[in-house]
């Protein structure tokens, strides 16, 4: 699984396997140990994840907010489960291409073209999932392909984030590990969309979404269900969100 | 948070806090490390969690199934997200009491009385959540109160599990850490309902549910949404399931 | 293994066991994952472990010292490996008893009586290991017996710590989890010997030592060898120190 | 720190920092959480680490030996602390070069030339530390340089391991992550020296030693002190071994 080197990697082990200890009645239980950051795999960023000039969303002092070892006010436990309208903005489909180029900044015009062509205007309170096509690289044998440090990664930039915030969306997601556009070779040195959404606007960010299936099925509007683990004071949570449609459910989670 | 001593405890730390490292543009990111078993807090048991006489559901050799360090066939990654009919069986309400007694075995008659009085017959494919009232002890200052080793814990026994399996339910849940009835002082020495559901019937088990709120609101029928993390080869996953009703969503997750 | 509830518990698992993956040449390797605090089992406290009134040893601001997520100046990586004179002060033997009573404060008079009767005066630069006999409880079936919250734990208090510091010792150890005397029921609410040694005097503390074997053999003077893991920025390290005598080595480590 | 991708990576975090929680008396304690494999940094391999054709040292069934989740018989807790004669074989110095070439197999002739030129014959029970000079790459900015998958890594091969076993050494170490010679591009696909030493001969292996300092000081003979953490049932332990000489101690640990 591709992972940001900034976060503790996902490790799963089986401390106990079947056969290790069998009860008198013939039963045995196997169990797990997980070690992981919260920003690995498909996950949601809590508002506490990012600060700017020492301030969190709402103006709280970011350093003081973490004293005690948890973020009481803007931790991921404060995010209510979401059951709301979801909109997929399939940008490359609207632009008549397969996938956006590495490092391409999805513009406000691109977003507006997409919602218009799809007939799915973005509305207040929506969860908006922006497909760049980058998610196709998730299963590349080397993790660098998906992380895209050298190549850059497509996504919205500061302008696109302001457009989303201006529309009053509740959450914004994408099919890349950093949500926003990364310039080739720049890595995470500048993340203006995170600032706009998390710090200035209180909009949650969902990353590493698998949007290929709903895009292929042209599911552009759905009920979005996302239920973060209420990890007290944490800055994010692994999640497996769903796009629920009238017929059978289509999943967009990824792990 | 009460936790079974059989599983790695939940630990959350902040490797990086705001202020530790500030980028040139004034931004900083805080992050988390989680260490945990998968059977802590509200969680779902995969079929691979339990074996009986060396066999998993479907008859596979339980020891061989774990070779490689993961359960490929019945791990939690094989559980499809659930969006299905949910039924709350509020047993103590039907029995005219506040909570079931410690160590009380909820009988088939109790279950049938409850579904009848509520007017919510259990049907094939349902997720059935059985309230004993034990969940009120979740926030007790000492963890032993909720785990209930000495006192025993109320819940269904072998007969109740067979009734659930016979009805063809998809998943069964309860507001205690072991789902099923535990005799006083017996701990987990015998878990017949786990055997019936996980090994013999292929029915998933959800534990440590918070059912108090929907019980108080008399929400006995709803859309049940549960989306396990697709942890490859693991025997369970922490989850935050939802009871979605026509009006505003009522949550039953717990973490 | 008894562990302080203030620290992440020790967990060991085998992610890979023999048979999981066999190379073409018939070889296979098993490996481990450890999760642990650094103050579990036999361990050494770095000076960065404790602050008083916001200051570390030498006067540095304790809060600022931890920014970045590590203690650069007084972390355990700054402790040079020790190969020095070691003295066992077998206090109960000198007092004509088997073990000190729970909660007993070992006095300066006790320490001086012991060094005199043993003929092992404490000198500058020594590692001084103070036996109370509490280590006999290490293998008690319940962890509470060794931790001793309710009973209290014997050990030196503030006066004994000042005596040690006045003698110019390099490190001080004991056969209990907190090194110093704990009053019955008080737990770690007050730890004056830690303050005197770590914050005011720069003397390292070694805890949960197994001193029973060298005490039984009346080995009161030896070469003390302790080699902490150089965990960058950490506040302590698990260790397995040795008491090396002219003949065969006698070990005092514990894990 | 360079680490093998086969083992859980080393992560250190501070769950509690100074200032998070201050006691009434002005004291505060900071603490740590470690997550790590046991084969990271300087470490020792227990005999249980490697099997061949399904057998451990002494012939035990390797698969059965791990049941229960620990290696009771050949785990690292069975390794007695070492205080014994140590010999540094500074191979490149004896060969008149700075460092051995990547992928170079140190021959038996090289080992015998080195012990002869140094005047330090290898004897029964010794700990023999073989310097190739590879340790100079430990601090390279990228971890691949030290791991050396593509370049290959110098070290003894099967013949050298048999020579060491024939001499009856107690432990053998080197300044690389895999101890033995790795062919360019081959990685760990074949590890004959591990088989000879761990499985056939019962000789412990110490890896990722820092031998540069004692080599520079021409310390070729010393008291070797290595005290593994007695991690019950584990296949290895991080260690910080020492080369103790008559004068001031010279350390060869690395972490």
């Amino acid at each position: 699984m591709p992972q940001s080197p900034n976060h503790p990697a996902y490790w799963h082990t089986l401390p106990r396997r079947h056969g290790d200890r069998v009860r008198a009645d013939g039963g045995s239980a196997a169990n797990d140990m997980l070690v992981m950051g919260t920003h690995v795999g498909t996950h949601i960023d809590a508002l506490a994840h990012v600060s700017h000039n020492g301030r969190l969303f709402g103006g709280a002092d970011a350093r003081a907010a973490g004293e005690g070892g948890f973020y009481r006010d803007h931790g991921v436990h404060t995010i209510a489960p979401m059951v709301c309208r979801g909109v997929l903005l399939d940008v490359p489909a609207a632009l008549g291409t397969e996938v956006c180029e590495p490092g391409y900044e999805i513009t406000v015009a691109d977003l507006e073209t997409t919602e218009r062509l799809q007939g799915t205007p973005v509305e207040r309170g929506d969860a908006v999932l922006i497909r760049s096509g980058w998610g196709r690289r998730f299963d590349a044998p080397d993790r660098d392909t998906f992380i895209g440090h050298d190549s850059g990664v497509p996504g919205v930039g500061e302008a696109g984030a302001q457009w989303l915030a201006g529309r009053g969306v509740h959450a914004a997601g994408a099919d890349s590990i950093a949500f926003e556009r990364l310039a080739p070779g720049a890595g995470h040195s500048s993340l203006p969309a995170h600032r706009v959404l998390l710090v200035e606007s209180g909009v949650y960010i969902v990353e590493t979404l698998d949007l290929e299936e709903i895009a292929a099925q042209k599911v552009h509007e759905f009920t979005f269900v996302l239920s973060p683990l209420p990890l007290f004071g944490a800055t994010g949570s692994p999640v497996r969100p769903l796009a629920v449609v009238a017929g059978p459910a289509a999943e967009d989670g990824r792990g």
Side-chain angles (χ1 to χ4, degrees), chain A residues 23 35 38 53 57 112 127 174 187-188 197 203 207 210 234 242-243 254:
Chain A
R23 292 194 308 269
V35 173
T38 59
N53 290 339
F57 174 70
E112 295 190 335
H188 296 189
L197 294 174
V203 176
E207 292 165 318
D210 180 2
L242 305 175
R254 158 161 279 166

Side-chain angles (χ1 to χ4, degrees), chain A residues 1-239:
Chain A
M1 181 167 66
Q3 304 190 37
S4 164
N6 293 330
H7 298 286
Y10 172 84
W11 270 87
H12 165 255
T13 70
L14 297 172
R16 212 189 314 148
R17 304 186 187 184
H18 292 298
D20 280 349
R21 212 186 299 175
V22 179
R23 292 194 308 269
D25 68 354
S28 99
N31 66 14
D32 311 279
M33 172 174 272
L34 296 182
V35 173
M36 60 189 298
T38 59
H39 300 266
V40 296
T42 306
H43 66 275
I44 188 166
D45 290 351
L47 301 185
H49 180 43
V50 169
S51 72
H52 193 72
N53 290 339
R55 299 288 161 184
L56 294 179
F57 174 70
D61 181 90
R63 188 183 304 253
E67 277 174 17
F70 45 81
Y71 292 95
R72 182 183 298 275
D73 290 334
H74 290 306
V76 77
H77 63 287
T78 65
I79 304 180
M82 300 176 195
V83 181
C84 64
R85 180 174 180 252
V87 171
L88 171 71
L89 293 181
D90 188 348
V91 175
L95 300 183
T97 180
E98 284 281 310
V99 297
C100 296
E101 292 297 306
Y104 177 73
E105 179 172 336
I106 295 173
T107 65
V108 168
D110 294 339
L111 297 171
E112 295 190 335
T113 298
T114 306
E115 65 171 349
R116 183 170 46 78
L117 287 179
Q118 292 184 170
T120 54
V122 169
E123 295 171 4
R124 175 162 298 277
D126 284 354
V128 178
L129 313 185
I130 301 167
R131 177 177 176 267
S132 71
W134 195 254
R136 295 189 177 183
R137 303 190 177 211
F138 184 82
D139 292 318
D142 70 306
R143 46 188 260 167
D144 295 338
T145 297
F146 185 71
I147 291 174
H149 181 279
D150 294 342
S151 63
V153 178
V156 298
E158 181 165 3
Q162 280 167 337
W163 182 86
L164 288 161
R167 292 293 184 98
V169 306
H170 184 63
D175 53 352
S176 66
I177 208 165
F179 172 74
E180 67 185 274
R181 181 246 180 186
L182 300 182
H188 296 189
S189 58
S190 174
L191 297 171
H194 276 69
R195 170 177 47 80
V196 169
L197 294 174
L198 294 174
V199 183
E200 298 174 2
S201 313
V203 176
Y204 305 116
I205 298 177
V206 188
E207 292 165 318
T208 315
L209 285 161
D210 180 2
L211 303 174
E212 292 307 296
E213 184 182 341
I214 56 174
Q217 297 183 12
K218 300 196 187 308
V219 175
H220 298 143
E221 194 171 353
F222 42 83
T223 298
F224 182 74
V225 182
L226 183 149
S227 196
L229 299 177
L231 309 166
F232 186 79
T235 68
S237 171
V239 292

